[in-house]
Amino acid sequence: MTAKHDVPDDARILQALTESAKGPLKAKDLARALGVRQEAHKALRARLREMEARGAVYRVKGDRYAAPGKINLVVGRLDTTRAGDGFVVPDAEGGRDVFVPSADLASAMDGDQVVVRVERQPPGRNPVGRIIKVLERAHPRVVGLYRRDRHLAYVVPKGAGVDRDVLVPDGQEGAAQPGDVVVVRITHFGDRKLNPLGEVETVLGRLGDPGVDVLAILHEHGLPTEFPDEVLKAAEAVARGGRPRLDAECVDRRDLLVFTIDPADAKDHDDALSVGAAPGGWEVGIHIADVSRYVARGSALDAEALTRGTSVYLVDRVIPMLPHALSSDLCSLVPEEDRHAVSVFVVLDGSGQVRSARFERTLIRSRHRLSYERAQAVLEGRESVDAATDGALHQLDQLARMLRRARRERGSIDFDLPEARVLLGASGEPVDIQRVVRLESHRLVEDLMLLANELVAAEAARRKLPIPYRVHDGPNDKKLQALRDFLASLGHSLPKGSPRPRDLQAVLDRVRDRPEEKLVSSVVLRSMQRARYDPRNAGHFGLAAEHYAHFTSPIRRYPDLVLHRVVVRALIQGEDVPREWGGEELEAVAERSSIRERVADEAERESVELKKIEYMEGHLGDRFHGTVSGVTSFGFFVLLDEVFVEGLVHVNALHDDYYDFREEAYALVGNRTGRRFRLGDRVQVDVARADREQRHIDFILAES
């Protein structure tokens, strides 16, 4: 039997193909070059087929294999533009995006994993190529509006990614009727001249029916609506047999005054806090639900949690990572119930400096379930829980402020971008759109969770433990130059060279409470790379942290659960971490978790935007006061005062003049009248259109 280690890993195979003087190699020639024994040839061929399937190697004529870069091929994700062209973003670090004209996209769609052949390299511009293979389809199914005319039936896609109608041949429409929102499975992807073909799999309901819009988002993003029976039965079995009790694996900490602080409508409680006097300062207890006690590595529950990657919080429902028997019951730190936790006890001195930290597996009992609003009322002296809890909250608030000040001094960036909260009626209809106010109680919890995350990551790095770090890179050269140009147009600048986090925070401080604050914050945020999970500790740019990981939410994030297993094994039980917990398995976990996080974020954002549109449908023709929040060449955006909704006043709706976009002033200026619309201007607008199908809100200027 061939041992797994007899087959070279990806890196050695790619190195051999890259260094080959003979060009592409047959499998047997590659085996000879790598010194692979005869009995391992079959396993090597299997490895090559697997690498080919994901684009790591490419097979050319004569069954010869090559490293993609050696034959001018680039593997990556396709990102299409509104104009219909595309850019292939390489998987390999450091590679330049490859521009692909629309005529050379073949059947590829936005988000597909593709192979592009670089055909020319214009001086000073991106390489130009042609897509020659689609490795993985991002949209095997599409959600859209079913329509029919005299000659054919088709589905108009609702979400991003698919920019062409999907034709539905006769007999493939199922029970769909014109006007239904449907899920269509693509059976033929066509090309740039021929539309894709598909068959209707599911009818979700009529456009405009309650809940159909959010249901469409679930299907668009491939989010699960139910748990498999096997997983539900496993969760119920664990819940029946695993009621929390004191045992040899945990320390009894039920004497501590422990409480949770969460949104008022929270169903799961990952974290709780305690604080008490300690020699030279205060000991803060950060208690995190011990999910790893109940979700065994490799179990059906574990496999489903990895598949989902994260809980998804849509505007009208939660898609949990774990079944409710665990997520909102057995694992959740509900009040007046014994619960298992993994606790970090941190001693902070009078200036907020960490003096010591230790990790324990504990049995705790939360005394109170506080909402952010009630905790804030206690901090402001407007309410009281009891004397001990009030005092603990005030002490934690003082310590949190010290921690926040220390992070700020080292350069951590504080993005305070406003968020929307949608209030729903009994039938799921939006009745109000409110701006979420960031309270000191929010910051208190955030500061202490950040502390725990950093402490765990730092200890894991010191001991070289295999964990999924939370990594955040600074702006790359291209995004940095775009950011410099943008800031210069508003009269701001950055120091030469690579900016430090504190340099970006200084810009945010300069625009605070100014009309351009929201725009600048958004552009600075977009200039940075997206945070991701990675087995390599590359630091967190935004937090100016050398070590960072996600530890505090194992009920709703899979990387936290993985980290808990390592913490329990290495830092609490003092045992070695098995080798198989790292390596390729950890790479796969990090990549999968990063992908699922992006899907969840997009779905959550879309669900809020759809409810905003639905809300404004009930206000067509109504007049609102607002502020110009963004200016572009095609119009200006207005953020309303009365409800936290933003819409566009298109230049075509400005009938009194022709308007030019003055980029340096971020203003639209009338050619004849000189009338200006600038960031921060106060305006009145009427609601002209709220289009669920196209997903946008249009305003017209109210002339008084």
Side-chain angles (χ1 to χ4, degrees):
M1 186 172 180
T2 302
K4 185 176 179 181
H5 59 262
D6 288 338
V7 180
D9 59 18
D10 290 9
R12 284 185 62 205
I13 290 173
L14 284 171
Q15 181 181 7
L17 293 174
T18 301
E19 295 175 353
S20 170
K22 299 179 180 179
L25 297 175
K26 288 189 173 183
K28 63 179 182 180
D29 297 325
L30 179 61
R32 188 179 303 112
L34 290 167
V36 176
R37 298 197 305 266
Q38 181 68 37
E39 59 267 28
H41 280 201
K42 184 176 180 180
L44 174 62
R45 289 190 178 92
R47 172 65 67 90
L48 287 169
R49 287 193 296 271
E50 187 270 331
M51 292 178 70
E52 180 191 2
R54 53 188 166 85
V57 300
Y58 200 79
R59 185 155 52 100
V60 298
K61 290 181 180 179
D63 280 339
R64 287 178 165 82
Y65 291 91
K70 290 284 286 185
I71 52 176
N72 291 327
L73 301 183
V74 173
V75 178
R77 290 279 173 186
L78 176 64
D79 184 5
T80 58
T81 68
R82 287 187 177 182
D85 304 315
F87 286 88
V88 174
V89 182
D91 289 344
E93 293 184 8
R96 295 189 67 191
D97 296 355
V98 181
F99 175 72
V100 183
S102 60
D104 294 327
L105 289 173
S107 66
M109 299 180 181
D110 185 71
D112 286 351
Q113 182 80 356
V114 300
V115 179
V116 59
R117 186 188 303 281
V118 176
E119 298 189 332
R120 54 195 174 90
Q121 177 65 70
R125 296 173 59 188
N126 290 74
V128 178
R130 173 190 300 272
I131 289 177
I132 61 172
K133 188 176 184 179
V134 177
L135 298 170
E136 182 183 357
R137 296 285 182 181
H139 307 281
R141 287 170 174 78
V142 173
V143 177
L145 195 64
Y146 179 77
R147 289 178 171 169
R148 188 175 191 96
D149 60 24
R150 291 197 315 174
H151 304 291
L152 52 84
Y154 55 98
V155 172
V156 181
K158 287 176 63 66
V162 181
D163 57 359
R164 291 172 294 155
D165 296 345
V166 180
L167 304 182
V168 180
D170 288 342
Q172 302 298 308
E173 70 277 9
Q177 297 295 319
D180 284 344
V181 179
V182 302
V183 180
V184 58
R185 181 177 66 87
I186 297 181
T187 56
H188 187 277
F189 284 87
D191 55 32
R192 302 321 288 178
K193 295 180 181 179
L194 299 174
N195 285 59
L197 304 178
E199 63 174 333
V200 174
E201 283 191 334
T202 308
V203 176
L204 301 180
R206 305 292 292 179
L207 182 67
D209 284 355
V212 170
D213 50 1
V214 178
L215 197 58
I217 289 174
L218 289 177
H219 284 274
E220 282 174 29
H221 294 282
L223 296 172
T225 55
E226 304 290 342
F227 282 97
D229 288 341
E230 175 192 15
V231 174
L232 289 175
K233 290 176 181 176
E236 289 162 3
V238 169
R240 284 195 302 270
R243 304 316 298 182
R245 63 184 184 277
L246 191 63
D247 57 29
E249 292 188 10
C250 63
V251 181
D252 191 350
R253 296 297 183 189
R254 288 174 291 181
D255 60 322
L256 294 175
L257 172 58
V258 173
F259 48 84
T260 60
I261 307 176
D262 285 297
D265 56 355
K267 299 295 190 294
D268 53 68
H269 304 276
D270 283 284
D271 55 85
L273 297 168
S274 65
V275 63
W282 297 90
E283 183 175 77
V284 176
I286 303 165
H287 312 279
I288 311 301
D290 191 358
V291 179
S292 64
R293 177 180 285 264
Y294 303 108
V295 180
R297 186 176 177 276
S299 65
L301 280 168
D302 186 45
E304 182 68 15
L306 173 58
T307 297
R308 294 179 176 229
T310 180
S311 296
V312 185
Y313 295 84
L314 302 179
V315 71
D316 66 345
R317 71 195 77 186
V318 177
I319 311 298
M321 183 179 79
L322 297 170
H324 289 292
L326 300 181
S327 62
S328 54
D329 186 7
L330 183 61
C331 295
S332 184
L333 306 181
V334 295
E336 300 305 332
E337 295 281 354
D338 290 352
R339 286 293 183 263
H340 286 295
V342 177
S343 300
V344 184
F345 290 98
V346 189
V347 175
L348 300 169
D349 65 18
S351 61
Q353 296 295 311
V354 175
R355 292 307 176 198
S356 65
R358 72 182 194 279
F359 304 90
E360 290 182 354
R361 221 171 188 180
T362 58
L363 186 68
I364 64 170
R365 176 177 279 246
S366 173
R367 308 291 178 84
H368 307 287
R369 179 173 60 192
L370 302 178
S371 67
Y372 284 115
E373 290 76 15
R374 189 177 185 197
Q376 183 67 29
V378 171
L379 293 177
E380 294 175 359
R382 295 184 285 108
E383 283 192 34
S384 173
V385 179
D386 56 56
T389 305
D390 294 355
L393 275 169
H394 282 285
Q395 185 58 56
L396 288 171
D397 181 48
Q398 290 180 25
L399 294 170
R401 289 172 184 268
M402 294 177 189
L403 292 169
R404 195 182 317 150
R405 184 164 56 248
R407 277 203 323 276
R408 187 177 180 84
E409 287 173 355
R410 80 183 185 203
S412 177
I413 304 174
D414 182 16
F415 288 104
D416 194 9
L417 291 171
E419 297 181 5
R421 181 186 180 204
V422 181
L423 301 184
L424 301 177
S427 301
E429 77 283 3
V431 296
D432 197 8
I433 314 289
Q434 298 177 348
R435 178 176 181 148
V436 175
V437 179
R438 195 177 181 194
L439 304 172
E440 284 302 314
S441 56
H442 288 107
R443 293 178 181 271
L444 182 159
V445 174
E446 179 183 291
D447 292 332
L448 295 172
M449 296 306 121
L450 288 172
L451 173 64
N453 288 340
E454 287 192 51
L455 288 172
V456 173
E459 188 63 17
R462 188 178 72 82
R463 299 193 186 203
K464 296 182 171 55
L465 300 176
I467 70 165
Y469 290 95
R470 182 64 168 175
V471 169
H472 184 221
D473 298 324
N476 60 30
D477 291 343
K478 181 179 177 181
K479 289 188 174 183
L480 180 57
Q481 187 55 53
L483 176 61
R484 288 185 187 280
D485 293 343
F486 165 76
L487 292 175
S489 71
L490 295 177
H492 303 291
S493 63
L494 290 172
K496 293 181 179 179
S498 298
R500 299 166 300 173
R502 68 173 71 252
D503 299 324
L504 298 179
Q505 182 61 53
V507 172
L508 298 179
D509 290 341
R510 287 198 295 272
V511 300
R512 199 167 307 282
D513 297 326
R514 293 176 59 173
E516 67 268 28
E517 178 183 4
K518 177 177 176 290
L519 177 64
V520 171
S521 295
S522 298
V523 174
V524 170
L525 182 61
R526 288 198 304 268
S527 75
M528 291 190 284
Q529 308 297 309
R530 189 183 182 102
R532 68 185 189 279
Y533 298 104
D534 199 307
R536 290 161 291 276
N537 180 25
H540 196 291
F541 180 85
L543 292 171
E546 186 177 353
H547 315 286
Y548 195 69
H550 275 165
F551 169 76
T552 56
S553 296
I555 290 177
R556 63 183 180 89
R557 289 190 306 228
Y558 191 77
D560 303 54
L561 173 56
V562 172
L563 179 52
H564 270 235
R565 290 174 179 147
V566 175
V567 167
V568 169
R569 187 73 168 243
L571 304 186
I572 296 176
Q573 297 174 345
E575 300 175 8
D576 292 336
V577 176
R579 182 178 178 182
E580 62 268 22
W581 289 19
E584 292 182 4
E585 179 178 307
L586 187 56
E587 290 270 6
V589 165
E591 182 178 2
R592 173 75 184 175
S593 299
S594 297
I595 291 171
R596 297 313 301 168
E597 178 189 50
R598 289 195 291 272
V599 170
D601 287 348
E602 186 66 17
E604 291 168 8
R605 184 193 62 79
E606 287 183 16
S607 74
V608 171
E609 291 305 312
L610 276 175
K611 287 301 178 183
K612 288 182 179 181
I613 294 168
E614 183 181 346
Y615 179 83
M616 297 310 291
E617 283 179 340
H619 292 276
L620 293 176
D622 289 355
R623 183 161 295 182
F624 292 89
H625 292 83
T627 303
V628 175
S629 55
V631 185
T632 71
S633 59
F634 51 85
F636 57 88
F637 292 91
V638 176
L639 181 63
L640 304 183
D641 295 344
E642 294 89 338
V643 289
F644 193 62
V645 170
E646 192 175 57
L648 175 70
V649 177
H650 200 280
V651 287
N652 292 341
L654 300 173
H655 302 303
D656 63 328
D657 204 344
Y658 291 102
Y659 284 82
D660 294 327
F661 177 49
R662 303 284 177 84
E663 187 173 4
E664 72 284 355
Y666 269 79
L668 284 175
V669 182
N671 284 341
R672 178 177 52 81
T673 62
R675 187 182 189 186
R676 289 173 174 258
F677 296 100
R678 294 170 295 187
L679 279 172
D681 282 354
R682 299 285 298 158
V683 293
Q684 290 186 66
V685 293
D686 295 333
V687 182
R689 185 165 66 148
D691 192 327
R692 285 198 224 188
E693 192 173 341
Q694 297 297 321
R695 297 186 179 178
H696 59 75
I697 299 168
D698 288 340
F699 298 146
I700 56 174
L701 203 62
E703 301 290 357
S704 57

